[in-house]
Amino acid sequence: MAKQPNVPITEHLAYLLAQANREINRQLELRLSKEGVPVEQWRILKVLSDGDGHSMGELADAVLLNHPTLTKMIDRMVSDALVYRVQDPNDRRKVLMFISDRGKVLCRKLNSLAVDQEEHILESYGDKSTSELKRLLESLIDSSN
Amino acid sequence: MAKQPNVPITEHLAYLLAQANREINRQLELRLSKEGVPVEQWRILKVLSDGDGHSMGELADAVLLNHPTLTKMIDRMVSDALVYRVQDPNDRRKVLMFISDRGKVLCRKLNSLAVDQEEHILESYGDKSTSELKRLLESLIDSSN
DNA sequence: CTTCAATTCTTGAATATTCAATATTTTCAA
DNA sequence: TTGAAAATATTGAATATTCAAGAATTGAAG
C-alpha cells in the first residue's frame, strides 16, 4: 500500500472554507451587532422580506439552521415582534412565517450594514476576485447536490 | 438618499461561504463519523501530528475554536488518550499539547477518510475549479488580516 | 371509510458553546 | 526589587444547539 502524503490542514478545501467563513462571518456579526441582531436573524428577515409566507422547513433550509434551532430563534423573534406565525390554511401541519412592519424596518437597516461589508470586501479583495469566488462557490454548492 | 437595491441573500458572499462550508463540512463529518470523531478533533490531531508541542492559544487559532471550547474538547481527548498536556518549561503560563501514539494511529485513519472526500470533490467539481477556489479562498483570508 | 405511514413542527432533556470571572505566571516600568 | 499590567489557560454559570421523542395533520393503500 502506498504511503499517504501528509497533506497540511491548511491545504484542505474543508479547512479553507471554514476559515474564510469564520472570518467573513465574524466581520458581518460585528456590523450587525450595531443593531444587536445575530446573523441568522438577518437571514431570516431577508428571506421573509419577499412578503410571502414561508414554512418553517423551507426557512430552515434557506437560513442554514436545523428545525429545532429555528423554532427557538423564531420564538425570540416573535417576542420581539419582528415576525409572526400563521397556520397554513392548505396544510395545517405547516406554519407560515411572515415579516412584520417592525421587522421590515429593521431589515432595511441590517441590509445596509451588510452592503457596507460587501463593499469593504470589494475594496480590499477586488471586484474580479469577488465575483469569481462567488461563481466558484455557487458551482461547488451545485455540484454537491 | 438613493434607494438600496434589495440584494437576495443568495448573492451575498457571506451566505455563499456559509452554505458551501456547511455542505462540505457535513460531508466530511459523515466520513469521519466512521471513526466517531468530530471534525474539530481531526483538525487538532492533524495540527499536533508534527510532533511539536503547541500551546492552547496557538491550537485554538489553528483549529478555529475559541479557548474555553478548546479546553473542554482537549479534556475529552485526554480522557480518550489521544493527546496529552505538558507544562511549558519556558513559560509556565502555557500548556503544550502533544499527540499520543494512539492519537497518531487514529489521525492516519482520519487523514485517509479526509483524502477520500477531497478526491470525491475533485471528481464531481473538477481539478481546475478546486485549485482555483482554494487559491481565491487563501487570498480572501489573507486580505482579511 | 379506515388505518397506517409519512410529513411538519415543537418540546424537553442532554450536550455543547460562550461569556465573564479567576488563577497563575510573566513582563516591564518605576 | 516591587508592583501593576499583560498574557495564558481554566472554570462555572448562562445560553444555545442538538438529538430523540411527541403531537397534529395529511396522504394513500387496502
Side-chain angles (χ1 to χ4, degrees), chain B residues 11-137:
Chain B
E11 285 177 21
H12 279 276
L13 180 56
Y15 181 79
L16 290 169
L17 277 171
Q19 201 182 355
N21 178 51
R22 186 181 163 87
E23 179 58 26
I24 298 300
N25 205 59
R26 198 190 56 75
Q27 289 173 17
L28 181 56
E29 212 163 52
L30 200 66
R31 310 257 174 160
L32 299 190
S33 72
K34 198 186 154 196
E35 297 289 338
V37 175
V39 174
E40 290 80 11
Q41 290 198 15
W42 171 60
R43 290 199 199 124
I44 292 170
L45 292 173
K46 206 152 175 48
V47 170
L48 296 186
S49 64
D50 63 5
D52 299 347
H54 294 263
S55 74
M56 293 295 279
E58 219 183 308
L59 247 190
D61 280 352
V63 304
L64 317 176
L65 291 176
N66 46 19
H67 289 218
T69 307
L70 178 63
T71 292
K72 285 155 193 173
M73 183 159 286
I74 288 287
D75 286 346
R76 289 190 285 271
M77 295 176 78
V78 169
S79 300
D80 295 343
L82 298 172
V83 300
Y84 57 94
R85 291 178 163 97
V86 174
Q87 173 137 237
D88 185 338
N90 296 121
D91 183 341
R92 280 152 50 204
R93 289 170 302 183
K94 295 187 185 173
V95 172
L96 298 181
M97 297 304 312
F98 289 90
I99 188 170
S100 71
D101 289 344
R102 191 158 145 54
K104 284 178 197 162
V105 171
L106 178 56
C107 190
R108 273 191 289 275
K109 290 185 206 160
L110 298 173
N111 282 342
S112 107
L113 294 172
V115 167
D116 275 359
Q117 192 212 9
E118 292 263 319
E119 275 164 9
H120 176 257
I121 293 171
L122 281 175
E123 270 171 35
S124 63
Y125 184 55
D127 230 61
K128 196 122 183 297
S129 294
T130 305
S131 60
E132 180 64 3
L133 177 55
K134 285 185 184 178
R135 197 186 62 75
L136 282 167
L137 287 172

Side-chain angles (χ1 to χ4, degrees), chain A residues 115-128:
Chain A
V115 167
D116 275 359
Q117 192 213 9
E118 292 263 318
E119 277 165 7
H120 176 257
I121 293 171
L122 281 176
E123 271 172 35
S124 63
Y125 184 56
D127 230 60
K128 194 122 183 297

